[in-house]
Amino acid sequence: MAVERTLSIIKPDATEKNLTGKINAKFEEAGLRIVAQKRLHLTKAQAGKFYEVHKERGFYDELCEFMSRSPVVAQVLEGEGAVAKNREVMGATNPAEADEGTIRKLFADSIGENSVHGSDSAENAAIEIAYFFAGTEIVG
């Protein structure tokens, strides 16, 4: 399996509960390396641009409000099959359906406030990483 990079965002519900270190430990325990990281407070417009693919969906405005209410931690994870590995470590979007020990099972409050975002493909990972990071900020 090839070494990949993927975007991870620790969402406002998790940063509000000071879970960044615990979540990062789950990624690292799974063999993913954090090769870039920054804490930032998204504006609603920035969140809207990032989640533009969901613009026509009913939850879009609520998602943008949520993602801009408190700081997030955007990061680049690197490792063998990083996209799939990250999604496995995150768990199902609905924490009630997530496997035991996954980030969402352990820390998420609901489908909407589910603690983490992760890229769903290598192609989207490249786009999402570029939204938050310049190439010089990624040090692997």
Side-chain angles (χ1 to χ4, degrees), residues 77-95:
L77 305 177
E78 181 180 81
E80 295 277 332
V83 173
K85 177 60 73 176
N86 181 35
R87 297 190 70 73
E88 178 184 322
V89 172
M90 287 190 310
T93 303
N94 182 347

Side-chain angles (χ1 to χ4, degrees), residues 37-88:
Q37 184 179 69
K38 62 173 78 169
R39 184 178 179 94
L40 60 154
H41 198 145
L42 297 174
T43 65
K44 190 172 179 188
Q46 289 169 320
K49 181 71 175 159
F50 181 76
Y51 285 108
E52 194 167 42
V53 66
H54 298 303
K55 192 170 188 163
E56 301 305 317
R57 301 187 72 182
F59 60 83
Y60 175 77
D61 285 334
E62 185 178 339
L63 175 62
C64 294
E65 278 294 328
F66 165 62
M67 290 299 291
S68 62
R69 86 173 183 208
S70 295
V72 300
V73 176
Q75 52 196 10
V76 179
L77 305 177
E78 181 180 81
E80 295 277 332
V83 173
K85 177 60 73 176
N86 181 35
R87 297 190 70 73
E88 178 184 322

Side-chain angles (χ1 to χ4, degrees), residues 102-116:
T102 61
I103 291 168
R104 288 176 171 151
K105 187 65 158 189
L106 292 169
F107 306 122
D109 294 326
S110 65
I111 292 173
E113 296 194 15
N114 60 17
S115 298
V116 285

Side-chain angles (χ1 to χ4, degrees), residues 3-6 27-28 30-36 75-79 82 139-140:
V3 172
E4 297 176 331
R5 289 181 173 164
T6 189
F27 293 135
E28 291 175 334
L32 295 167
R33 292 180 53 223
I34 300 166
V35 295
Q75 52 196 10
V76 179
L77 305 177
E78 181 180 81
V139 290

